[in-house]
Amino acid sequence: MTEKRVVRGIKGVKDILPEEIARWQTIEGAARRLSFLFGYQEIRVPIFEVTELFARSIGVSTDIVEKEMYTFPDRDGTSLTLRPEGTAGVVRAYIEHNLGASPQSQKLFYLGPMFRHERPQAGRLRQFHQFGVECIGLESPLADVEVIALLWRFLSAELRLPDLTLEVNNLGDAGDRPAYKALLLEFLKSREGRLCENCRRRMETNPLRVLDCKVPTCREATEDAPRISQHLSPPSRRHFEEVLSGLAALGIAHTLNHRLVRGLDYYTLTAFEVTSGKLGAQNAVGAGGRYDGLMEALGGPNLPGIGFAVGLERVSLLLPDAVVSPPPPMLFVAGFGAQGQPAGLRFLHDLRAAGVRATTDYRASTLKAHLRQADKLGATLVVILGDDEAAKGQVVLRNMQTKQQEDLPLKGAVEALFKRLNRA
């Protein structure tokens, strides 16, 4: 006899089970509600794209493109990649469908899974989910303030996540970067022997990423590295000052972090990140920044943009139980007997048609079996409909907490229960 082998899920790809869904629905509901409140429209883009899109946008020297993307050949040989982040796909869709022609299409948000081949740990998975927004076409610093305010309100006010800190930095514009990179590279070469292998490798191609390294020896070696904030052009400096003034005007507390450079090449000017002290090493909850050159780099018009993405798995880890929206009460229909069972089936159908959350157990043939299952399911009320009740034209309503029972006329019982549940 052949032994059955259980097929298990992939490492780092997590099932979201029914008992967790209320947390996710609370998070996603808050994301949609707040996005609409701020004037954003939802967009849904494919989970895989041509690999070139991510190589050109994220940057060929980033860890994501070099080591983390799930890339595979299509049947015609085209290289495809499961999306590792959402911005590139949204910008591609914006260009391809000429969304700039619509005045309503400059502010977009998305929810969905992303994919990166990383070492699985708490809050870091190979399939993970993000909520993100993209504000395209606005170069005003006030657009930066609005996007940061949306992120901060979502995490701190709507979801009440604990121990949050907002960190901001300015990465300069395309004109500021070359001179600063040359200065930084010269500094890093003088400390090369104290840097980790990964930092030494990417020093020539992406020196700013060295500042973001979490290895203690690298952080110590670069503590007195030149800061880009000291090498900004006057327009870049003014932009950042207006962002900081806008955050202060809204009462949004923030700290300056000169090491905050973000891991994607397309970021310019404003960069920001929200962290939580309750998450350990992987403490970033949401982050983003301005990407003014990305649209043109992907073949579109020269339009600025700014956005953020939030890791929903990390948000779920932090979400207080008190914030989670409880499901509506469950009403259980116990229909049994030759007349009671079909009457119970009709009553169940009528309850659902009226918008009442209701269920039954089609296996149960006795009242005792029905009540046992209702208790397992956590039903608050049970409608008992046996042969006697069907003959009398009534139902018995049982409260599973108090064990109290009352008779209700079968005619009009659905409407009566609907009103009672909505008053609760």
Side-chain angles (χ1 to χ4, degrees):
M1 182 176 174
T2 305
E3 184 180 352
K4 290 183 179 179
R5 184 175 65 87
V6 177
V7 179
R8 299 191 179 277
I10 301 167
K11 186 178 181 181
V13 179
K14 185 177 178 290
D15 298 308
I16 301 173
L17 301 177
E19 55 264 30
E20 303 172 82
I21 290 298
R23 302 180 70 79
W24 283 76
Q25 290 175 337
T26 298
I27 295 165
E28 292 166 350
R32 286 195 167 91
R33 184 172 61 254
L34 201 57
S35 295
F36 283 123
L37 191 63
F38 274 63
Y40 285 77
Q41 294 182 301
E42 185 172 4
I43 186 170
R44 303 187 186 191
V45 294
I47 63 169
F48 61 91
E49 304 263 8
V50 293
T51 304
E52 179 189 9
L53 173 68
F54 302 114
R56 285 172 60 182
S57 60
I58 298 172
V60 294
S61 63
T62 59
D63 287 350
I64 295 173
V65 173
E66 285 185 336
K67 300 183 296 185
E68 297 173 359
M69 294 200 315
Y70 282 96
T71 297
F72 56 94
D74 202 354
R75 294 191 176 187
D76 64 358
T78 304
S79 181
L80 304 177
T81 295
L82 297 178
R83 62 186 186 191
E85 57 92 44
T87 300
V90 172
V91 171
R92 190 268 311 148
Y94 187 97
I95 297 168
E96 186 171 341
H97 301 287
N98 192 27
L99 295 184
S102 169
Q104 276 95 30
S105 297
Q106 66 182 12
K107 298 165 79 171
L108 304 164
F109 80 93
Y110 58 86
L111 287 155
M114 309 293 163
F115 306 85
R116 296 183 193 176
H117 191 278
E118 299 188 282
R119 182 170 61 87
Q121 52 189 292
R124 173 172 280 187
L125 298 172
R126 291 175 177 175
Q127 175 179 300
F128 57 99
H129 297 77
Q130 287 187 341
F131 156 52
V133 308
E134 313 295 347
C135 179
I136 297 172
L138 299 178
E139 62 183 0
S140 169
L142 296 181
D144 304 30
V145 174
E146 177 182 282
V147 167
I148 296 172
L150 198 166
L151 173 63
W152 186 251
R153 178 168 170 181
F154 173 65
L155 297 175
S156 65
E158 293 287 319
L159 301 181
R160 306 205 296 272
L161 303 191
D163 200 9
L164 296 179
T165 300
L166 169 64
E167 299 178 347
V168 295
N169 194 19
N170 189 299
L171 305 180
D173 61 21
D176 300 332
R177 291 286 186 86
Y180 174 70
K181 279 188 174 182
L183 187 67
L184 179 61
L185 182 58
E186 182 181 354
F187 170 86
L188 293 175
K189 284 181 177 179
S190 71
R191 307 293 174 91
E192 188 170 359
R194 298 166 60 186
L195 300 178
C196 70
E197 182 181 349
N198 195 33
C199 284
R200 290 197 299 271
R201 178 182 56 82
R202 63 189 176 188
M203 194 170 68
E204 294 283 349
T205 56
N206 201 352
L208 268 71
R209 293 290 290 126
V210 177
L211 300 177
D212 198 35
C213 182
K214 301 299 188 289
V215 176
T217 54
C218 292
R219 296 187 74 83
E220 183 180 344
T222 57
E223 186 58 39
D224 57 343
R227 299 185 179 186
I228 194 167
S229 60
Q230 298 169 340
H231 298 83
L232 297 176
S233 63
S236 296
R237 192 178 304 280
R238 274 197 306 275
H239 187 99
F240 195 42
E241 288 172 353
E242 290 185 44
V243 170
L244 298 182
S245 296
L247 294 176
L250 295 180
I252 299 176
H254 53 277
T255 61
L256 300 181
N257 179 1
H258 70 276
R259 287 184 176 273
L260 180 60
V261 297
R262 308 295 300 125
L264 292 80
D265 277 0
Y266 55 61
Y267 282 119
T268 60
L269 294 174
T270 308
F272 54 91
E273 186 172 81
V274 177
T275 60
S276 171
K278 302 294 185 182
L279 281 177
Q282 301 298 327
N283 64 350
V285 184
R290 190 164 269 284
Y291 48 85
D292 288 353
L294 179 59
M295 184 78 68
E296 190 173 27
L298 294 179
N302 183 17
L303 290 176
I306 183 170
F308 68 72
V310 175
L312 301 191
E313 278 79 5
R314 295 184 188 182
V315 171
S316 181
L317 287 173
L318 293 169
L319 189 68
D321 291 339
V323 179
V324 179
S325 305
M330 172 73 79
L331 200 153
F332 189 96
V333 177
F336 57 97
Q339 283 75 46
Q341 194 275 335
L345 182 63
R346 289 191 297 271
F347 194 79
L348 179 66
H349 175 78
D350 291 342
L351 283 170
R352 291 167 173 168
V356 176
R357 182 173 178 242
T359 191
T360 190
D361 184 358
Y362 296 113
R363 301 165 299 177
S365 58
T366 65
L367 176 58
K368 185 177 180 180
H370 274 296
L371 293 177
R372 188 185 305 121
Q373 185 63 14
D375 189 53
K376 287 180 181 179
L377 292 174
T380 53
L381 297 172
V382 175
V383 173
I384 299 171
L385 224 174
D387 288 344
D388 289 346
E389 287 77 22
K392 295 177 184 177
Q394 68 179 32
V395 298
V396 176
L397 184 64
R398 178 182 175 88
N399 186 308
M400 292 297 286
Q401 276 74 49
T402 65
K403 312 303 181 188
Q404 291 181 328
Q405 297 187 170
E406 62 178 298
D407 296 337
L408 295 175
L410 182 57
K411 186 176 181 181
V414 169
E415 292 79 5
L417 288 171
F418 178 81
K419 291 178 182 177
R420 183 178 301 192
L421 291 171
N422 281 309
R423 285 198 303 268

mmCIF file with all atom_site columns, all heavy atoms in Angstrom, residues 362-374:
data_model
loop_
_atom_site.group_PDB
_atom_site.id
_atom_site.type_symbol
_atom_site.label_atom_id
_atom_site.label_alt_id
_atom_site.label_comp_id
_atom_site.label_asym_id
_atom_site.label_entity_id
_atom_site.label_seq_id
_atom_site.pdbx_PDB_ins_code
_atom_site.Cartn_x
_atom_site.Cartn_y
_atom_site.Cartn_z
_atom_site.occupancy
_atom_site.B_iso_or_equiv
_atom_site.pdbx_formal_charge
_atom_site.auth_seq_id
_atom_site.auth_comp_id
_atom_site.auth_asym_id
_atom_site.auth_atom_id
_atom_site.pdbx_PDB_model_num
ATOM 1   N N   . TYR A 1 362 ? -26.186 20.615 8.293  1.00 0.00 ? 362 TYR A N   1
ATOM 2   C CA  . TYR A 1 362 ? -27.015 19.695 7.524  1.00 0.00 ? 362 TYR A CA  1
ATOM 3   C C   . TYR A 1 362 ? -26.838 18.241 7.959  1.00 0.00 ? 362 TYR A C   1
ATOM 4   O O   . TYR A 1 362 ? -27.623 17.377 7.593  1.00 0.00 ? 362 TYR A O   1
ATOM 5   C CB  . TYR A 1 362 ? -26.703 19.833 6.034  1.00 0.00 ? 362 TYR A CB  1
ATOM 6   C CG  . TYR A 1 362 ? -27.045 21.198 5.477  1.00 0.00 ? 362 TYR A CG  1
ATOM 7   C CD1 . TYR A 1 362 ? -26.049 22.057 5.050  1.00 0.00 ? 362 TYR A CD1 1
ATOM 8   C CD2 . TYR A 1 362 ? -28.364 21.618 5.408  1.00 0.00 ? 362 TYR A CD2 1
ATOM 9   C CE1 . TYR A 1 362 ? -26.356 23.317 4.553  1.00 0.00 ? 362 TYR A CE1 1
ATOM 10  C CE2 . TYR A 1 362 ? -28.690 22.874 4.911  1.00 0.00 ? 362 TYR A CE2 1
ATOM 11  C CZ  . TYR A 1 362 ? -27.667 23.714 4.488  1.00 0.00 ? 362 TYR A CZ  1
ATOM 12  O OH  . TYR A 1 362 ? -27.987 24.962 3.999  1.00 0.00 ? 362 TYR A OH  1
ATOM 13  N N   . ARG A 1 363 ? -25.809 17.977 8.770  1.00 0.00 ? 363 ARG A N   1
ATOM 14  C CA  . ARG A 1 363 ? -25.596 16.606 9.252  1.00 0.00 ? 363 ARG A CA  1
ATOM 15  C C   . ARG A 1 363 ? -26.460 16.281 10.466 1.00 0.00 ? 363 ARG A C   1
ATOM 16  O O   . ARG A 1 363 ? -26.737 15.114 10.740 1.00 0.00 ? 363 ARG A O   1
ATOM 17  C CB  . ARG A 1 363 ? -24.123 16.404 9.624  1.00 0.00 ? 363 ARG A CB  1
ATOM 18  C CG  . ARG A 1 363 ? -23.133 16.638 8.498  1.00 0.00 ? 363 ARG A CG  1
ATOM 19  C CD  . ARG A 1 363 ? -21.725 16.783 9.048  1.00 0.00 ? 363 ARG A CD  1
ATOM 20  N NE  . ARG A 1 363 ? -21.625 17.921 9.964  1.00 0.00 ? 363 ARG A NE  1
ATOM 21  C CZ  . ARG A 1 363 ? -20.523 18.255 10.631 1.00 0.00 ? 363 ARG A CZ  1
ATOM 22  N NH1 . ARG A 1 363 ? -19.429 17.527 10.481 1.00 0.00 ? 363 ARG A NH1 1
ATOM 23  N NH2 . ARG A 1 363 ? -20.508 19.294 11.437 1.00 0.00 ? 363 ARG A NH2 1
ATOM 24  N N   . ALA A 1 364 ? -26.857 17.321 11.212 1.00 0.00 ? 364 ALA A N   1
ATOM 25  C CA  . ALA A 1 364 ? -27.559 17.100 12.482 1.00 0.00 ? 364 ALA A CA  1
ATOM 26  C C   . ALA A 1 364 ? -29.015 16.713 12.235 1.00 0.00 ? 364 ALA A C   1
ATOM 27  O O   . ALA A 1 364 ? -29.717 17.338 11.442 1.00 0.00 ? 364 ALA A O   1
ATOM 28  C CB  . ALA A 1 364 ? -27.485 18.355 13.342 1.00 0.00 ? 364 ALA A CB  1
ATOM 29  N N   . SER A 1 365 ? -29.474 15.683 12.961 1.00 0.00 ? 365 SER A N   1
ATOM 30  C CA  . SER A 1 365 ? -30.874 15.244 12.820 1.00 0.00 ? 365 SER A CA  1
ATOM 31  C C   . SER A 1 365 ? -31.652 15.383 14.120 1.00 0.00 ? 365 SER A C   1
ATOM 32  O O   . SER A 1 365 ? -32.847 15.096 14.162 1.00 0.00 ? 365 SER A O   1
ATOM 33  C CB  . SER A 1 365 ? -30.927 13.779 12.360 1.00 0.00 ? 365 SER A CB  1
ATOM 34  O OG  . SER A 1 365 ? -30.234 12.950 13.278 1.00 0.00 ? 365 SER A OG  1
ATOM 35  N N   . THR A 1 366 ? -30.977 15.833 15.189 1.00 0.00 ? 366 THR A N   1
ATOM 36  C CA  . THR A 1 366 ? -31.643 16.014 16.481 1.00 0.00 ? 366 THR A CA  1
ATOM 37  C C   . THR A 1 366 ? -31.334 17.411 17.008 1.00 0.00 ? 366 THR A C   1
ATOM 38  O O   . THR A 1 366 ? -30.343 18.040 16.620 1.00 0.00 ? 366 THR A O   1
ATOM 39  C CB  . THR A 1 366 ? -31.167 14.982 17.509 1.00 0.00 ? 366 THR A CB  1
ATOM 40  O OG1 . THR A 1 366 ? -29.770 15.202 17.781 1.00 0.00 ? 366 THR A OG1 1
ATOM 41  C CG2 . THR A 1 366 ? -31.351 13.559 16.990 1.00 0.00 ? 366 THR A CG2 1
ATOM 42  N N   . LEU A 1 367 ? -32.170 17.875 17.922 1.00 0.00 ? 367 LEU A N   1
ATOM 43  C CA  . LEU A 1 367 ? -31.951 19.194 18.523 1.00 0.00 ? 367 LEU A CA  1
ATOM 44  C C   . LEU A 1 367 ? -30.628 19.216 19.279 1.00 0.00 ? 367 LEU A C   1
ATOM 45  O O   . LEU A 1 367 ? -29.876 20.208 19.216 1.00 0.00 ? 367 LEU A O   1
ATOM 46  C CB  . LEU A 1 367 ? -33.104 19.540 19.458 1.00 0.00 ? 367 LEU A CB  1
ATOM 47  C CG  . LEU A 1 367 ? -32.963 20.862 20.227 1.00 0.00 ? 367 LEU A CG  1
ATOM 48  C CD1 . LEU A 1 367 ? -32.808 22.040 19.274 1.00 0.00 ? 367 LEU A CD1 1
ATOM 49  C CD2 . LEU A 1 367 ? -34.150 21.071 21.160 1.00 0.00 ? 367 LEU A CD2 1
ATOM 50  N N   . LYS A 1 368 ? -30.319 18.138 19.983 1.00 0.00 ? 368 LYS A N   1
ATOM 51  C CA  . LYS A 1 368 ? -29.080 18.083 20.755 1.00 0.00 ? 368 LYS A CA  1
ATOM 52  C C   . LYS A 1 368 ? -27.861 18.264 19.851 1.00 0.00 ? 368 LYS A C   1
ATOM 53  O O   . LYS A 1 368 ? -26.928 19.002 20.182 1.00 0.00 ? 368 LYS A O   1
ATOM 54  C CB  . LYS A 1 368 ? -28.994 16.744 21.503 1.00 0.00 ? 368 LYS A CB  1
ATOM 55  C CG  . LYS A 1 368 ? -27.792 16.641 22.418 1.00 0.00 ? 368 LYS A CG  1
ATOM 56  C CD  . LYS A 1 368 ? -27.820 15.322 23.187 1.00 0.00 ? 368 LYS A CD  1
ATOM 57  C CE  . LYS A 1 368 ? -26.609 15.205 24.114 1.00 0.00 ? 368 LYS A CE  1
ATOM 58  N NZ  . LYS A 1 368 ? -26.617 13.918 24.862 1.00 0.00 ? 368 LYS A NZ  1
ATOM 59  N N   . ALA A 1 369 ? -27.866 17.607 18.708 1.00 0.00 ? 369 ALA A N   1
ATOM 60  C CA  . ALA A 1 369 ? -26.742 17.720 17.770 1.00 0.00 ? 369 ALA A CA  1
ATOM 61  C C   . ALA A 1 369 ? -26.638 19.143 17.210 1.00 0.00 ? 369 ALA A C   1
ATOM 62  O O   . ALA A 1 369 ? -25.535 19.679 17.040 1.00 0.00 ? 369 ALA A O   1
ATOM 63  C CB  . ALA A 1 369 ? -26.906 16.710 16.629 1.00 0.00 ? 369 ALA A CB  1
ATOM 64  N N   . HIS A 1 370 ? -27.790 19.740 16.926 1.00 0.00 ? 370 HIS A N   1
ATOM 65  C CA  . HIS A 1 370 ? -27.787 21.124 16.428 1.00 0.00 ? 370 HIS A CA  1
ATOM 66  C C   . HIS A 1 370 ? -27.199 22.085 17.466 1.00 0.00 ? 370 HIS A C   1
ATOM 67  O O   . HIS A 1 370 ? -26.365 22.948 17.140 1.00 0.00 ? 370 HIS A O   1
ATOM 68  C CB  . HIS A 1 370 ? -29.213 21.556 16.081 1.00 0.00 ? 370 HIS A CB  1
ATOM 69  C CG  . HIS A 1 370 ? -29.640 21.183 14.696 1.00 0.00 ? 370 HIS A CG  1
ATOM 70  N ND1 . HIS A 1 370 ? -29.040 21.697 13.567 1.00 0.00 ? 370 HIS A ND1 1
ATOM 71  C CD2 . HIS A 1 370 ? -30.630 20.364 14.256 1.00 0.00 ? 370 HIS A CD2 1
ATOM 72  C CE1 . HIS A 1 370 ? -29.643 21.207 12.487 1.00 0.00 ? 370 HIS A CE1 1
ATOM 73  N NE2 . HIS A 1 370 ? -30.610 20.393 12.876 1.00 0.00 ? 370 HIS A NE2 1
ATOM 74  N N   . LEU A 1 371 ? -27.637 21.949 18.716 1.00 0.00 ? 371 LEU A N   1
ATOM 75  C CA  . LEU A 1 371 ? -27.162 22.850 19.759 1.00 0.00 ? 371 LEU A CA  1
ATOM 76  C C   . LEU A 1 371 ? -25.660 22.685 20.011 1.00 0.00 ? 371 LEU A C   1
ATOM 77  O O   . LEU A 1 371 ? -24.961 23.658 20.288 1.00 0.00 ? 371 LEU A O   1
ATOM 78  C CB  . LEU A 1 371 ? -27.944 22.618 21.051 1.00 0.00 ? 371 LEU A CB  1
ATOM 79  C CG  . LEU A 1 371 ? -29.430 23.010 21.019 1.00 0.00 ? 371 LEU A CG  1
ATOM 80  C CD1 . LEU A 1 371 ? -30.115 22.660 22.335 1.00 0.00 ? 371 LEU A CD1 1
ATOM 81  C CD2 . LEU A 1 371 ? -29.587 24.500 20.719 1.00 0.00 ? 371 LEU A CD2 1
ATOM 82  N N   . ARG A 1 372 ? -25.184 21.447 19.910 1.00 0.00 ? 372 ARG A N   1
ATOM 83  C CA  . ARG A 1 372 ? -23.750 21.200 20.086 1.00 0.00 ? 372 ARG A CA  1
ATOM 84  C C   . ARG A 1 372 ? -22.950 21.940 19.006 1.00 0.00 ? 372 ARG A C   1
ATOM 85  O O   . ARG A 1 372 ? -21.931 22.578 19.294 1.00 0.00 ? 372 ARG A O   1
ATOM 86  C CB  . ARG A 1 372 ? -23.480 19.703 20.026 1.00 0.00 ? 372 ARG A CB  1
ATOM 87  C CG  . ARG A 1 372 ? -22.038 19.336 20.403 1.00 0.00 ? 372 ARG A CG  1
ATOM 88  C CD  . ARG A 1 372 ? -21.768 17.851 20.216 1.00 0.00 ? 372 ARG A CD  1
ATOM 89  N NE  . ARG A 1 372 ? -22.731 17.041 20.953 1.00 0.00 ? 372 ARG A NE  1
ATOM 90  C CZ  . ARG A 1 372 ? -23.547 16.143 20.385 1.00 0.00 ? 372 ARG A CZ  1
ATOM 91  N NH1 . ARG A 1 372 ? -23.528 15.963 19.079 1.00 0.00 ? 372 ARG A NH1 1
ATOM 92  N NH2 . ARG A 1 372 ? -24.372 15.441 21.124 1.00 0.00 ? 372 ARG A NH2 1
ATOM 93  N N   . GLN A 1 373 ? -23.428 21.873 17.771 1.00 0.00 ? 373 GLN A N   1
ATOM 94  C CA  . GLN A 1 373 ? -22.715 22.534 16.665 1.00 0.00 ? 373 GLN A CA  1
ATOM 95  C C   . GLN A 1 373 ? -22.831 24.058 16.777 1.00 0.00 ? 373 GLN A C   1
ATOM 96  O O   . GLN A 1 373 ? -21.879 24.785 16.494 1.00 0.00 ? 373 GLN A O   1
ATOM 97  C CB  . GLN A 1 373 ? -23.260 22.057 15.318 1.00 0.00 ? 373 GLN A CB  1
ATOM 98  C CG  . GLN A 1 373 ? -22.520 22.584 14.106 1.00 0.00 ? 373 GLN A CG  1
ATOM 99  C CD  . GLN A 1 373 ? -21.066 22.130 14.052 1.00 0.00 ? 373 GLN A CD  1
ATOM 100 O OE1 . GLN A 1 373 ? -20.655 21.231 14.771 1.00 0.00 ? 373 GLN A OE1 1
ATOM 101 N NE2 . GLN A 1 373 ? -20.284 22.775 13.199 1.00 0.00 ? 373 GLN A NE2 1
ATOM 102 N N   . ALA A 1 374 ? -23.999 24.546 17.179 1.00 0.00 ? 374 ALA A N   1
ATOM 103 C CA  . ALA A 1 374 ? -24.180 25.995 17.355 1.00 0.00 ? 374 ALA A CA  1
ATOM 104 C C   . ALA A 1 374 ? -23.201 26.533 18.388 1.00 0.00 ? 374 ALA A C   1
ATOM 105 O O   . ALA A 1 374 ? -22.630 27.621 18.227 1.00 0.00 ? 374 ALA A O   1
ATOM 106 C CB  . ALA A 1 374 ? -25.616 26.287 17.768 1.00 0.00 ? 374 ALA A CB  1
#
